[in-house]
C-alpha cells in the first residue's frame, strides 16, 4: 500500500481539566490510508484525545495538523462517529445522511438523495432508507452514522468506540463492514476502543495508552496481511499482538496500583 | 455499488438489541380497557355527586344536583350568555397566551443554549416568577384599567416567566452529542440552533406549551373574577352575588371540559407533528 508521510500529526498535545491532567504531552502521526487505534482502559484519555482531534475539546497545549494545516475547531475535513447513537430522531436514515450534505451548493437535492441512498447501500442498509432511528437496531443506527460521516468525504475518519454499545456478535459484523469500507474508500482512520482484539483486527498500528494522565505506553505495528478475515484468530502474529497489548495494559495497571 | 454486508445480517445476528428502541404498542384490548377506565372514573365522580345531593347531605344552595346544573347550563347556552362569555374569555386567553409564548420561546431557547443569556435573564425571571400573580391584579388595574389589556397583562405575567424557564430547561435537556454532531459537520452556531437545537427540543417545548396553556386559563379567570364586565370569571362572580350555585358549578364544568378538550387536541397534534415514538411503516 502506498503511504505518504504523516497526514495527521499531533504534537505535544496535553489536556487539563481544572486540576486533573487528562492527557500528558502526546505525540502521534497517522499516515494517509492508515488505520490507527488507540486502546486503553477507561479514563486513560483516549477519547479526550480523539475529541481534541475532532476539535470538540481545545487542547491545553500542543498542536494538531491535518495535511500540514493546523486544526482549530471542528470541521468537515474530519468525520466523527460517536459511541452513543447520534442520529437525529426526527429524520429518516436517508435524511440523516442528507443532513450532512445540506450546505453543499453544488449538490442539488436529488443528487443529495441519490448519494445518501448509495452510501446506505454500501453500509448494508439498502431498502431501509425511510426508516426512522427508533425503527433501527443499534448496529443499524451506527451504520447510518458511518454513512453520514463518510458522506462529505472527510480526510480522516475519527471513531470513538463506535461499536462499544453493541452486543458482541453485532460488533463483529460491524468490524467486518468497517474493514471493507476502509479498503474500498482508502480511508485514514483514528479509532478509539477498549477492545484489544478489535483494535488488532482492524488496525495497521495499535497505540496502547494508560494511566492518569493518559500517555503513550507502546506502539504495536500490526503486520498482518490484508484483506483480513476471521481466520486471523488462529494466526500466531495476531495472537502475539493481542498478548503484547494486554501485557502492556496489565503492567501499566499493576504499576498504578503498587 | 455493491451491497457489502447483507442488511439482514445485523438483525439476525443482533439477538439482543442494546436498547429497546421501539416501545411496546398497547394492544387493542389494552387501549379500549384504559379508555373505559378513564370514562368510568368520570362516571364515579358524577355518581358520587348525584348521590350526595340525592341523600340531601348538603344543602342544595351549596351543592345543587347534576340535573339542575345541566338545566342551568342549557338555559345559559340557549340564552346566548354562555357562548358570549366563552368567546370573550377564549379571545383573552388567546391574545395573552400568544403574546407570552411569542416572546418566551426565543428567549427560553437562547437561555437554554447560551450561558450568557441565561446569566443575564435567569435570576431576574426566577425572581419575578416567585411573586404571586394575584398580587399583580390591583397593580395592573392601576396601570391599564379593567379592559382587555389588563387581562392580557395578567395572563402574560402569569405565564411568560414560567414558560421561559420551562423552555430553557427543555433546551438544556437535549443530548450534547446531537450538538456535537452539528459541530463536527462544520455547522455555525446559528445553523446548529436552527437545525438541531430547535428541532430536537420541539416535542418538549410543545409539552411545555400545553402545560402553560392551563395556567393561562387560571390567571384569566382570576383576573375576570376581580374586575371585569364580561367573560366566564365575571359570570361566576355575578352568580355568587345571586347565590346561583348552579351557574358557578356549571361554568366550572365548562372550564374543566374546555381544558381537557384543548389538552387532548394539542396532545394529538403534537404526536402528529413530532412522530413521538409511534412507528409507522
Amino acid at each position: 500500500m502506498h503511504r505518504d508521510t504523516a497526514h495527521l500529526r499531533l504534537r505535544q498535545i496535553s489536556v487539563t481539566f481544572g486540576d486533573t491532567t487528562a492527557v500528558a504531552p502526546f505525540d502521534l502521526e497517522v499516515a494517509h490510508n492508515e488505520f490507527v487505534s488507540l486502546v486503553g482502559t477507561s479514563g486513560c484519555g483516549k477519547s479526550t484525545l480523539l475529541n481534541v482531534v475532532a476539535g470538540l475539546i481545545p487542547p491545553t497545549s500542543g498542536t494538531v495538523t491535518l495535511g500540514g494545516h493546523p486544526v482549530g475547531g471542528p470541521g468537515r475535513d474530519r468525520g466523527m462517529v460517536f459511541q452513543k447513537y447520534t442520529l437525529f430522531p426526527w429524520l429518516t436514515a436517508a435524511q440523516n445522511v442528507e443532513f450532512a450534505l445540506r450546505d453543499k451548493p453544488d449538490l442539488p437535492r436529488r443528487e443529495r438523495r441519490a448519494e445518501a441512498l448509495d452510501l446506505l447501500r454500501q453500509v448494508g442498509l439498502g431498502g431501509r432508507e425511510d426508516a426512522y432511528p427508533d425503527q433501527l437496531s443499534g448496529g443499524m443506527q451506527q451504520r447510518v452514522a458511518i454513512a453520514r460521516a463518510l458522506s462529505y468525504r472527510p480526510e480522516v475518519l475519527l471513531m470513538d468506540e463506535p461499536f462499544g454499545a453493541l452486543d458482541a456478535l453485532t460488533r463483529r459484523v460491524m468490524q467486518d463492514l468497517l474493514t471493507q469500507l476502509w479498503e474500498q474508500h482508502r480511508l485514514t482512520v483514528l479509532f478509539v476502543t477498549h477492545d484489544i482484539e478489535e483494535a488488532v483486527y482492524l488496525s495497521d498500528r495499535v497505540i496502547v495508552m494508560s494511566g492518569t494522565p493518559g500517555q503513550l505506553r507502546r506502539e504495536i505495528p500490526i503486520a498482518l496481511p490484508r484483506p483480513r478475515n476471521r481466520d486471523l484468530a488462529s494466526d500466531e502474529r495476531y495472537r502475539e499482538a493481542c498478548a503484547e497489548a494486554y501485557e502492556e495494559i496489565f503492567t501499566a495497571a499493576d504499576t498504578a496500583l503498587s | 455499488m455493491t451491497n457489502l454486508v447483507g442488511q439482514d445480517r445485523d438483525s439476525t445476528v443482533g439477538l439482543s438489541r442494546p436498547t429497546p428502541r421501539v416501545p411496546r404498542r398497547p394492544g387493542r384490548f389494552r387501549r379500549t380497557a384504559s379508555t373505559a377506565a378513564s370514562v368510568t372514573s368520570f362516571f364515579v365522580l358524577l355518581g358520587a355527586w348525584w348521590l350526595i345531593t340525592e341523600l340531601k347531605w348538603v344543602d342544595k344552595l351549596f351543592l345543587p344536583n347534576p340535573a339542575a346544573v345541566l338545566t342551568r347550563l342549557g338555559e345559559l347556552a340557549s340564552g346566548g350568555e354562555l357562548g358570549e362569555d366563552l368567546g370573550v374569555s377564549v379571545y383573552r386567553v388567546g391574545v395573552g397566551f400568544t403574546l407570552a409564548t411569542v416572546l418566551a420561546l426565543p428567549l427560553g431557547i437562547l437561555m437554554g443554549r447560551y450561558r450568557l443569556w441565561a446569566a443575564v435573564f435567569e435570576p431576574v425571571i426566577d425572581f419575578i416568577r416567585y411573586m404571586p400573580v394575584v398580587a399583580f391584579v390591583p397593580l395592573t388595574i392601576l396601570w391599564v384599567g379593567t379592559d382587555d389589556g389588563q387581562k392580557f397583562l395578567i395572563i402574560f405575567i402569569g405565564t411568560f416567566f414560567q414558560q421561559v424557564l420551562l423552555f430553557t430547561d427543555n433546551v438544556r435537556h437535549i443530548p450534547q452529542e446531537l450538538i456535537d454532531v452539528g459541530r463536527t459537520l462544520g455547522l455555525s452556531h446559528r445553523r446548529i440552533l436552527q437545525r438541531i437545537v430547535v428541532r430536537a427540543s420541539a416535542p418538549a417545548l410543545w409539552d411545555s406549551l400545553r402545560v402553560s396553556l392551563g395556567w393561562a386559563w387560571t390567571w384569566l379567570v382570576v383576573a375576570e373574577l376581580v374586575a371585569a364586565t364580561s367573560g366566564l370569571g365575571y359570570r361566576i362572580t355575578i352568580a355568587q352575588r345571586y347565590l346561583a350555585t348552579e351557574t358557578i358549578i356549571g361554568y366550572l364544568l365548562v372550564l374543566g371540559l374546555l381544558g381537557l378538550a384543548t389538552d387532548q387536541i394539542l396532545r394529538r397534534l403534537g404526536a402528529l407533528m413530532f412522530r413521538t415514538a409511534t412507528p409507522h411503516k
Side-chain angles (χ1 to χ4, degrees), chain A residues 55-56 74-76 80 82 84-86 88 90 99-100 102-103 118 122 124 126 128 132 134-137 139-141 143 148 152 165 167 169-170 180 184, chain B residues 1-7 9-11 13-19 21-22 177-178 180-181 183-187 191 195-196 199-200 275 277 279-281:
Chain A
L56 295 174
R76 289 170 76 89
M80 180 91 163
F82 298 83
K84 290 200 179 163
Y85 305 132
T86 54
F88 299 118
W90 61 91
F99 186 94
R102 264 180 79 171
D103 293 316
D118 182 42
Q122 290 185 52
R128 298 306 302 272
Y132 284 91
D134 61 9
Q135 298 168 319
L136 298 171
S137 69
M140 291 176 178
Q141 291 188 53
R143 286 164 190 254
R148 176 172 66 188
Y152 51 98
D167 63 86
L169 295 171
T170 306
Q180 284 159 346
Q184 192 178 30
Chain B
M1 294 280 177
T2 48
N3 187 346
L4 288 174
V5 175
Q7 64 162 100
R9 276 171 73 183
D10 188 53
S11 53
V13 169
L15 295 174
S16 62
R17 291 183 173 181
T19 42
R21 307 301 298 176
V22 183
E177 291 80 24
L178 294 188
D180 284 343
V181 168
R183 293 176 64 202
T184 58
L185 292 176
L187 297 184
R191 287 257 190 268
R195 291 183 189 168
I196 300 176
R199 193 56 191 73
R275 223 194 68 83
H280 58 78
K281 264 243 85 178

Side-chain angles (χ1 to χ4, degrees), chain A residues 14 40 54 63 71-72 92 97 108 138 142 146-149 172 175 196 199 213 216 219 223 243-244 257:
Chain A
S14 75
T63 53
V71 157
T92 63
V97 179
Q142 287 306 68
I146 292 171
R148 176 172 66 188
R172 291 183 63 156
Q175 290 161 3
I196 285 170
L216 189 148
E219 252 188 77
E244 198 180 338
L257 287 172

Side-chain angles (χ1 to χ4, degrees), chain B residues 152-256:
Chain B
F152 302 155
L153 195 56
I154 282 296
I155 294 169
F156 184 88
I157 295 170
T159 47
F160 172 78
F161 300 99
Q162 309 281 352
Q163 277 184 330
V164 171
L165 296 175
L166 278 179
F167 295 157
T168 302
D169 203 48
N170 294 151
V171 168
R172 280 187 188 146
H173 273 90
I174 69 173
Q176 178 62 35
E177 291 80 24
L178 294 188
I179 291 164
D180 284 343
V181 168
R183 293 176 64 202
T184 58
L185 292 176
L187 297 184
S188 62
H189 281 296
R190 195 197 162 103
R191 287 257 190 268
I192 288 176
L193 196 68
Q194 290 170 336
R195 291 183 189 168
I196 300 176
V197 174
V198 170
R199 193 56 191 73
S201 52
L205 292 172
W206 185 258
D207 278 342
S208 299
L209 221 57
R210 261 179 42 216
V211 173
S212 58
L213 182 57
W215 302 334
W217 271 102
T218 306
W219 300 124
L220 167 80
V221 174
V222 167
E224 286 180 345
L225 286 175
V226 177
T229 50
S230 57
L232 293 167
Y234 164 74
R235 189 74 58 193
I236 289 175
T237 334
I238 299 297
Q240 181 209 12
R241 204 172 296 163
Y242 295 106
L243 299 176
T245 332
E246 301 89 357
T247 308
I248 299 181
I249 293 178
Y251 268 44
L252 282 175
L253 292 180
V254 168
L255 281 163

Side-chain angles (χ1 to χ4, degrees), chain B residues 121-131 165:
Chain B
F121 291 102
E122 201 162 11
V124 181
I125 289 175
D126 234 348
F127 171 63
I128 301 175
R129 180 174 74 114
Y130 279 107
M131 299 179 181
L165 296 175

Side-chain angles (χ1 to χ4, degrees), chain B residues 36-195:
Chain B
S38 307
V39 173
T40 309
S41 67
F42 270 99
F43 277 103
V44 168
L45 192 66
L46 194 67
W49 175 18
W50 177 81
L51 202 66
I52 288 168
T53 51
E54 196 66 11
L55 296 173
K56 299 199 165 39
W57 285 353
V58 181
D59 192 320
K60 72 172 193 235
L61 178 66
F62 300 122
L63 186 66
N65 67 42
V69 169
L70 277 180
T71 314
R72 174 59 57 84
L73 268 183
E75 287 164 17
L76 289 166
S78 56
E81 291 100 329
L82 178 59
E84 200 179 306
D85 294 339
L86 209 54
V88 170
S89 292
V90 167
Y91 162 70
R92 287 170 180 161
V93 167
V95 174
F97 183 74
T98 306
L99 276 176
T101 305
V102 163
L103 291 171
L105 206 52
L107 185 58
I109 290 171
L110 288 169
M111 283 169 59
R113 178 80 182 104
Y114 300 114
R115 273 193 213 140
L116 182 64
W117 282 80
V120 172
F121 291 102
E122 201 162 11
V124 181
I125 289 175
D126 234 348
F127 171 63
I128 301 175
R129 180 174 74 114
Y130 279 107
M131 299 179 181
V133 181
V134 189
F136 279 96
V137 173
L139 192 63
T140 53
I141 293 174
L142 280 174
W143 284 346
V144 292
T146 59
D147 61 5
D148 282 352
Q150 184 256 346
K151 308 296 174 296
F152 302 155
L153 195 56
I154 282 296
I155 294 169
F156 184 88
I157 295 170
T159 47
F160 172 78
F161 300 99
Q162 309 281 352
Q163 277 184 330
V164 171
L165 296 175
L166 278 179
F167 295 157
T168 302
D169 203 48
N170 294 151
V171 168
R172 280 187 188 146
H173 273 90
I174 69 173
Q176 178 62 35
E177 291 80 24
L178 294 188
I179 291 164
D180 284 343
V181 168
R183 293 176 64 202
T184 58
L185 292 176
L187 297 184
S188 62
H189 281 296
R190 195 197 162 103
R191 287 257 190 268
I192 288 176
L193 196 68
Q194 290 170 336
R195 291 183 189 168

